[in-house]
Amino acid sequence: MEFLKCEVLNEILPTGLPYGYLVLINGDIGMGKTLLVKIIAKSAIQRGDSVLYVAFDDDPAAIMEDLGTNNVFIIDGFNLSDRYRVKNPNIVDYITDLEPSQFIGKINNAVQGRSIKVLVVDSLNDLIVNVEPRALLILLKQLKALSRRYGLLTLTVAHTTTEDVSNLMSNLEYVFDGVIEMEFDENMANLGIPIRRMRIKRMRGIAHSLNWFYFTTSRGNIVPVDVNEVRNMLKSVLESMGVQLK
């Protein structure tokens, strides 16, 4: 099995992400999911892989600014109207209808002949809110089959901000080969310290840590945080103010 190593995941997934896998990255808005998939995509580009990015949430121009234009191909689902489409050699196709068969068909066509190794779908939410659960299940299974057929590492993002979306994705998690969760650390958030964390909830057949990886974001990167050090610093500050902690 071939793996894509990504430095930011080394602590919790030392083997790297397996090609041929369908991976879900979920969490609330603002947790760093898009940043994570872009970091993984950059790792792939640096090793010479080509990336196909299905852009629903982000303008293709912003994606090219972040990833560059070498070995990057985009299916534009951000600009659904013909009126706003931008012609660019990196944009290989356009989503014109939020319909599962068109979505799968355009990915299948774009992958052929381009040596694509990493597929990013950011995000699934446009499809989640526009198709019934059964159709979404079929779409995900077709996406998994494509990943196997072409040896793609497929990274799908889901914003589980609402309870409906969160429950739906929980019910569909079994379809994915791997699930990465991202969230705020509630204890730190209650103290006004916005520290995020992520974990590998599941990665089929691959050894991985079950521990949370704590981080913050800075200048387009994910930066590890020693949460115990933060707690000790906070304790020292509070004690210097006369607040005694048990």
Side-chain angles (χ1 to χ4, degrees), residues 143-214:
L143 202 54
K144 188 174 183 177
L146 275 176
S147 303
R148 296 284 198 277
R149 185 183 312 147
Y150 296 111
L152 304 174
L153 168 58
T154 300
L155 307 169
T156 59
V157 173
H159 308 298
T160 51
T161 304
T162 67
E163 187 174 347
D164 287 347
V165 173
S166 180
N167 290 338
L168 176 60
M169 295 314 296
S170 292
N171 289 331
L172 294 174
E173 271 188 10
Y174 74 92
V175 178
F176 296 88
D177 298 298
V179 178
I180 300 175
E181 292 184 327
M182 305 182 76
E183 62 179 34
F184 274 124
D185 179 275
E186 289 187 8
N187 293 327
M188 291 289 102
N190 290 336
L191 295 171
I193 304 174
I195 293 178
R196 301 172 178 90
R197 62 184 188 175
M198 64 175 159
R199 68 168 179 168
I200 308 294
K201 183 176 181 180
R202 182 165 61 84
M203 196 64 63
R204 185 182 61 81
I206 304 297
H208 60 276
S209 171
L210 296 176
N211 297 328
W212 287 101
F213 172 80
Y214 293 85

Side-chain angles (χ1 to χ4, degrees), residues 40-171:
I40 296 170
K42 285 179 184 177
S43 296
I45 292 165
Q46 287 169 0
R47 63 170 264 169
D49 289 345
S50 293
V51 174
L52 177 62
Y53 203 115
V54 185
F56 284 111
D57 294 358
D58 209 353
D59 192 311
I63 293 167
M64 287 183 282
E65 184 176 343
D66 290 335
L67 299 183
T69 56
N70 293 328
N71 295 342
V72 177
F73 303 96
I74 297 173
I75 296 178
D76 183 1
F78 182 77
N79 301 298
L80 289 173
S81 170
D82 290 344
R83 180 179 169 192
Y84 297 108
R85 286 186 190 160
V86 176
K87 294 190 180 299
N88 185 291
N90 292 84
I91 300 175
V92 297
D93 211 335
Y94 302 88
I95 300 291
T96 58
D97 187 9
L98 295 172
E99 196 273 321
S101 63
Q102 183 191 104
F103 172 77
I104 292 295
K106 287 182 179 289
I107 290 175
N108 188 55
N109 291 338
V111 166
Q112 296 184 41
R114 291 192 172 91
S115 301
I116 303 296
K117 293 288 288 180
V118 175
L119 168 63
V120 175
V121 180
D122 188 11
S123 67
L124 289 170
N125 286 64
D126 280 26
L127 295 162
I128 290 170
V129 300
N130 278 280
V131 302
E132 62 173 5
R134 182 174 180 277
L136 181 62
L137 172 62
I138 293 170
L139 181 151
L140 291 174
K141 289 195 169 185
Q142 290 175 327
L143 202 54
K144 188 174 183 177
L146 275 176
S147 303
R148 296 284 198 277
R149 185 183 312 147
Y150 296 111
L152 304 174
L153 168 58
T154 300
L155 307 169
T156 59
V157 173
H159 308 298
T160 51
T161 304
T162 67
E163 187 174 347
D164 287 347
V165 173
S166 180
N167 290 338
L168 176 60
M169 295 314 296
S170 292
N171 289 331

